[in-house]
Amino acid sequence: MADVEERPADDAELAVLLKAAFDELVSRNGAEGRTQVKDGARYFVALDDDGRAVGCGAVQVFEPGSAHPGDAEVKRMYVTPTARGKGYARALLAGLERAARAKGHPVLRLTTGERQPEAIALYESSGFVQTAPWGKYVNEPLTRCYGKTLTRL
């Protein structure tokens, strides 16, 4: 399994991955589908056998007064095309789950698009269940919302 480590928001390798993630999202969905990652989000990277960051993701908290206060949300999940199919995304998602669980979030949520069948397959095979859309996604028919109840270890 790949190593997953937390990185600061201004990490250089993380910045490259976040730009690539944005570029891919725009190519599939257009720029209007991008949502911002909030201050205070925790960023993680998946490392290959040579210690290079080949994937990234973030966990951010739903604010009080939001659709799901106290839950956490996966943001910016991405693996470079050359590293896909090697288990990095699954390792990264597991690392994001561990981080959310360790902070006591009862549910980990995420959104993805209908045009991202690889992501849908990963999330569903990792125990995420499609939920009713929330927030800005309520009227977005090409967006799928998911959640996974986290249990304390």
Side-chain angles (χ1 to χ4, degrees), residues 40-62:
R42 297 174 62 202
Y43 290 92
F44 295 82
V45 295
L47 304 173
D48 68 11
D49 292 339
D50 295 321
R52 292 182 304 248
V54 295
C56 67
V59 175
Q60 74 180 18
V61 179
F62 279 88

Side-chain angles (χ1 to χ4, degrees), residues 19-30:
K19 181 183 180 325
F22 174 70
D23 291 346
E24 185 169 316
L25 280 174
V26 168
S27 74
R28 289 189 191 213
N29 303 307

Side-chain angles (χ1 to χ4, degrees), residues 52-125:
R52 292 182 304 248
V54 295
C56 67
V59 175
Q60 74 180 18
V61 179
F62 279 88
E63 301 296 326
S66 69
H68 303 288
D71 289 352
E73 183 179 11
V74 171
K75 301 294 283 186
R76 297 300 176 269
M77 181 85 176
Y78 175 78
V79 172
T80 61
T82 57
R84 292 179 185 166
K86 299 177 182 175
Y88 295 114
R90 194 166 300 282
L92 183 58
L93 185 57
L96 298 173
E97 285 184 40
R98 283 190 302 275
R101 184 180 293 113
K103 291 290 184 178
H105 300 293
V107 177
L108 184 58
R109 298 181 181 278
L110 59 87
T111 60
T112 193
E114 291 284 334
R115 296 182 182 123
Q116 294 173 277
E118 318 86 351
I120 291 168
L122 171 67
Y123 300 141
E124 290 180 353
S125 70

Side-chain angles (χ1 to χ4, degrees), residues 132-145:
W134 65 80
K136 73 175 241 168
Y137 305 111
V138 169
N139 295 313
E140 296 292 331
L142 296 179
T143 299
R144 287 191 183 189
C145 295

